[in-house]
Amino acid sequence: MDYEIVIGLECHVQLLTQSKMFCGCATDYDGAPPNTRVCPVCLGLPGALPVINRKAVEYTVITGLALHCQIAEFAKFDRKNYHYPDLAKGYQISQYDLPLTRQGWLDVEVEGQTKRVGITRVHLEEDTAKNTHLGETSLVDYNRAGVPLMEIVTEPDLRSPEEARVFASNLRRILRWIGVSTGDMEAGALRVDANISVRPQGQAKFGTKTEIKNMNSFRAVKLALEYEAQRQIDVLEHGGRIVQETRGWVEGEGRTVSQRSKEFAHDYRYFPEPDLPPLVLSSTEVERLRAQLPELPEARAERLMARYGLSQYDAGVLTGSRAVADYYEAAVAAHGNGKAVANWVSGEMFRLLRGATLEIEAVPVSPQALAELLRLVDDGTIGISVAKTVLEEMFATGQRAGEIVRAKGLTQISDQDQLRQVAADIIAANPKAVADYRGGKPTAVKFLVGQVMRATRGQANPTVASEILEQLLNESNGRQPS
Amino acid sequence: MPLDLATVEQVAELAKLGLTDDEKARFTEQLSAILDYAARLQTLDTSAIPATAMVGGLENVMRPDEARPSLSQADVLANAPRSHAGQFQVPAILD
């Protein structure tokens, strides 16, 4: 039987604020000694009162706007009650029935098809403490407890693990783009949980779902959901029933395992948080925040395609982050040729960044410096292969292209006489390639051009070298090379 | 609305309360009385009254996003029955 996979995501996003959601404790807990970013509020001491972090509310509204959500005119916080030491209060402050934003969408493109995925809601809550297990006890560090956490819930609109992966990746791009989160999955700044079920193709009713956690990378999202879909199909094919439960992805074993909670029945007994007055968002305030939204990645990609004639693929790569797009456009402004700059940024520059595991924010070559290098190529001072070497040098030393070319004497050789001498030597040294050429293999000249390039340490103008080689080969046709 | 014993046991479990059989019976009766009273409130027509979470009239009480000093680790752990390596130590929990 054919099955349809149905997936909805719940993404938790740590916001890039200086202080926690309801108190002034710093959010820089990463690497800090345990329980040193803690105060009476996030420790739940009697009498301590929470106060809402304005920035976190603004970031959530901005995220809602970027995801085409409706912004609530009236929102409030609620207590989600549960007994678990990851929050000292005995409840998490979250939003239940009146979240800040709801009903938006985000497009994903999979295999050339664009699909609109509904966003159910984006709400604001607080992160929990970190637990580690030590024998018969657990250790609790409250540094993370109370860090602003935004929850983004999708409709069950995703139909494959690949769609889920692309959605998560697009969402991360937007979160980073608008500057509300690092989106770092490994560090836990973006945590993607999934609800997944399968149903026979054509059946209207959803199957029983399971919730999958612990997916710490986009790859893990795809692998875990592929595994889980197949597991559910196998259970059904063998006449079994799916148990609604939470399952954790075990990366090392490549499978999901049941995570039975001690709590036998969840009943969070939500009620309005009496310590926090509600939020009333005026349209003036919402419009003020909307005005802060930068041009979003998809709109920017469209513009790059229209303005610089980029392919959809190139435009996608160059809008991978806002910093990349800014770098690209600054280089185009300094150079002029959008297509050439696109090739250099997405090709050589990305290769060097990957090699050095750097983000473009830290690139030692300014957009203006890249433009200078490309101008040296344009005016024939250096060829492409030398330019690549020069870029490596610029990347390593931060020197400008002109200095490197002068210091190393890398100016391209287009001089006919000089190249004719080199070409003659190469012809003499490569009888086999010469014989191939004369035997009717014109492509053999490419090999000889390569040898000229090598002999001149990449400085020969390859077009001129090729012309001279063919000229010499044809001139001396019929004669044995000396 | 009479409450059954199973519901009382579930509420006790969620609240982490260990109740004796006598207590369960007593609380079943007492909680039922409380629910009966709440049920009387439910009969009122509130359709013309907006949902109210707070009566203080405050709204938009927020603070700027500025980090302030936290407590020292020693102060944080001062009241902990058990601690280890700067952390609270509690009976094993499942993640």
Side-chain angles (χ1 to χ4, degrees):
Chain A
M1 194 187 290
D2 281 344
Y3 290 87
E4 182 179 44
I5 302 171
V6 177
I7 300 168
L9 298 180
E10 286 178 17
C11 306
H12 286 93
V13 180
Q14 280 183 344
L15 295 175
L16 269 175
T17 54
Q18 298 297 312
S19 64
K20 288 189 179 180
M21 185 63 231
F22 301 114
C23 61
C25 288
T27 52
D28 62 345
Y29 64 86
D30 195 16
N35 293 307
T36 55
R37 302 291 185 276
V38 182
C39 74
V41 171
C42 52
L43 203 52
L45 296 187
L49 286 173
V51 186
I52 298 167
N53 184 333
R54 178 185 296 277
K55 193 78 168 178
V57 172
E58 291 179 352
Y59 278 174
T60 304
V61 170
I62 286 173
T63 304
L65 291 170
L67 297 175
H68 317 94
C69 288
Q70 296 172 14
I71 309 303
E73 290 170 19
F74 182 91
K76 69 175 171 68
F77 286 94
D78 300 276
R79 290 188 181 181
K80 179 181 180 178
N81 300 278
Y82 64 98
H83 285 277
Y84 199 73
D86 65 0
L87 280 169
K89 300 189 295 296
Y91 55 85
Q92 178 188 37
I93 303 179
S94 180
Q95 296 193 279
Y96 182 54
D97 56 340
L98 294 172
L100 279 163
T101 81
R102 58 170 98 206
Q103 286 180 301
W105 50 264
L106 176 62
D107 282 343
V108 293
E109 195 187 295
V110 174
E111 285 164 9
Q113 298 283 322
T114 300
K115 167 164 199 168
R116 184 149 293 183
V117 179
I119 306 285
T120 313
R121 57 192 280 156
V122 181
H123 77 242
L124 194 49
E125 57 187 34
E126 56 181 331
D127 209 345
T128 56
K130 182 165 170 279
N131 302 316
T132 34
H133 303 294
L134 183 75
E136 294 297 298
T137 64
S138 294
L139 301 177
V140 191
D141 169 11
Y142 285 104
N143 279 351
R144 195 181 68 183
V147 167
L149 197 65
M150 188 169 64
E151 180 171 328
I152 301 170
V153 183
T154 80
E155 293 293 306
D157 287 345
L158 298 157
R159 288 292 174 272
S160 72
E162 174 64 5
E163 284 184 7
R165 185 192 67 79
V166 174
F167 178 90
S169 165
N170 279 8
L171 179 64
R172 177 177 184 268
R173 178 171 72 157
I174 286 190
L175 295 170
R176 289 166 55 90
W177 193 280
I178 60 180
V180 300
S181 176
T182 63
D184 186 340
M185 288 184 87
E186 276 180 42
L190 169 61
R191 288 166 244 158
V192 179
D193 299 334
N195 286 303
I196 177 170
S197 62
V198 299
R199 61 180 167 189
Q201 204 68 251
Q203 177 183 304
K205 193 170 168 285
F206 287 138
T208 303
K209 68 185 177 186
T210 56
E211 185 178 3
I212 311 300
K213 291 177 176 284
N214 282 349
M215 301 178 290
N216 295 328
S217 66
F218 297 125
R219 186 172 157 275
V221 168
K222 188 177 181 190
L223 292 178
L225 295 179
E226 280 171 350
Y227 172 89
E228 179 62 14
Q230 193 55 51
R231 187 193 69 83
Q232 292 187 8
I233 290 167
D234 289 345
V235 168
L236 295 175
E237 288 285 294
H238 289 85
R241 296 179 61 179
I242 306 298
V243 180
Q244 184 167 346
E245 61 180 352
T246 300
R247 300 178 66 88
W249 169 244
V250 185
E251 181 85 31
E253 298 173 20
R255 64 195 187 101
T256 63
V257 296
S258 181
Q259 287 184 324
R260 287 189 194 284
S261 163
K262 269 186 175 174
E263 208 79 42
F264 68 94
H266 280 303
D267 179 354
Y268 292 126
R269 295 160 291 150
Y270 279 99
F271 63 84
E273 168 57 82
D275 290 341
L276 293 171
L279 296 173
V280 176
L281 296 153
S282 69
S283 57
T284 320
E285 174 69 0
V286 173
E287 289 316 308
R288 184 183 71 81
L289 293 172
R290 194 191 301 276
Q292 289 177 23
L293 265 188
E295 184 184 27
L296 292 171
E298 280 171 13
R300 192 148 182 191
E302 294 283 328
R303 184 168 60 76
L304 294 188
M305 285 162 67
R307 184 154 173 195
Y308 305 118
L310 300 189
S311 68
Q312 189 168 18
Y313 177 81
D314 281 345
V317 169
L318 293 170
T319 52
S321 78
R322 199 167 149 197
V324 168
D326 287 348
Y327 184 95
Y328 168 72
E329 290 211 85
V332 175
H335 178 263
N337 185 336
K339 191 83 187 121
V341 174
N343 289 339
W344 279 86
V345 172
S346 65
E348 287 306 299
M349 191 61 90
F350 275 18
R351 189 178 62 78
L352 293 169
L353 287 168
R354 269 196 305 276
T357 54
L358 282 181
E359 298 285 334
I360 197 132
E361 286 87 337
V363 71
V365 181
S366 70
Q368 292 71 26
L370 178 66
E372 283 169 20
L373 172 72
L374 301 199
R375 272 197 296 274
L376 293 179
V377 176
D378 295 341
D379 66 18
T381 308
I382 56 174
I384 299 282
S385 66
V386 169
K388 289 180 182 175
T389 316
V390 172
L391 182 60
E392 278 176 30
E393 189 80 15
M394 292 164 71
F395 196 89
T397 65
Q399 280 181 288
R400 303 298 269 230
E403 297 170 32
I404 295 167
V405 169
R406 267 194 306 280
K408 301 209 162 188
L410 293 173
T411 307
Q412 178 165 268
I413 306 166
S414 299
D415 181 81
Q416 297 269 343
D417 293 338
Q418 201 180 343
L419 283 183
R420 193 178 299 276
Q421 186 54 52
V422 179
D425 292 346
I426 292 297
I427 285 171
N430 293 281
K432 174 142 190 331
V434 172
D436 285 348
Y437 180 82
R438 289 180 178 142
K441 263 206 229 163
T443 51
V445 81
K446 285 200 179 132
F447 170 79
L448 294 171
V449 172
Q451 295 303 305
V452 171
M453 297 306 291
R454 209 172 129 187
T456 56
R457 293 186 300 131
Q459 283 174 258
N461 179 327
T463 314
V464 178
S466 178
E467 281 166 13
I468 291 173
L469 279 166
E470 291 198 42
Q471 210 180 344
L472 288 175
L473 288 166
N474 291 330
E475 260 174 22
S476 57
N477 207 353
R479 279 191 290 148
Q480 289 299 310
S482 53
Chain B
M1 188 177 69
L3 203 62
D4 63 15
L5 189 64
T7 309
V8 171
E9 285 174 340
Q10 189 189 346
V11 170
E13 174 74 21
L14 287 168
K16 304 284 183 221
L17 295 173
L19 301 182
T20 64
D21 285 350
D22 278 356
E23 284 171 327
K24 284 178 194 167
R26 192 160 78 243
F27 291 141
T28 303
E29 205 174 298
Q30 291 183 352
L31 289 170
S32 291
I34 293 169
L35 288 178
D36 283 345
Y37 180 72
R40 281 176 62 195
L41 295 177
Q42 300 275 26
T43 62
L44 295 173
D45 179 8
T46 56
S47 56
I49 301 171
T52 308
M54 299 191 85
V55 294
L58 293 172
E59 60 187 38
N60 295 346
V61 177
M62 289 185 263
R63 43 171 262 274
D65 178 31
E66 285 160 11
R68 293 167 57 175
S70 300
L71 298 176
S72 72
Q73 190 188 67
D75 281 348
V76 169
L77 296 172
N79 293 327
R82 282 180 82 185
S83 66
H84 176 79
Q87 304 192 53
F88 291 85
Q89 193 167 18
V90 299
I93 48 174
L94 290 175
D95 252 327

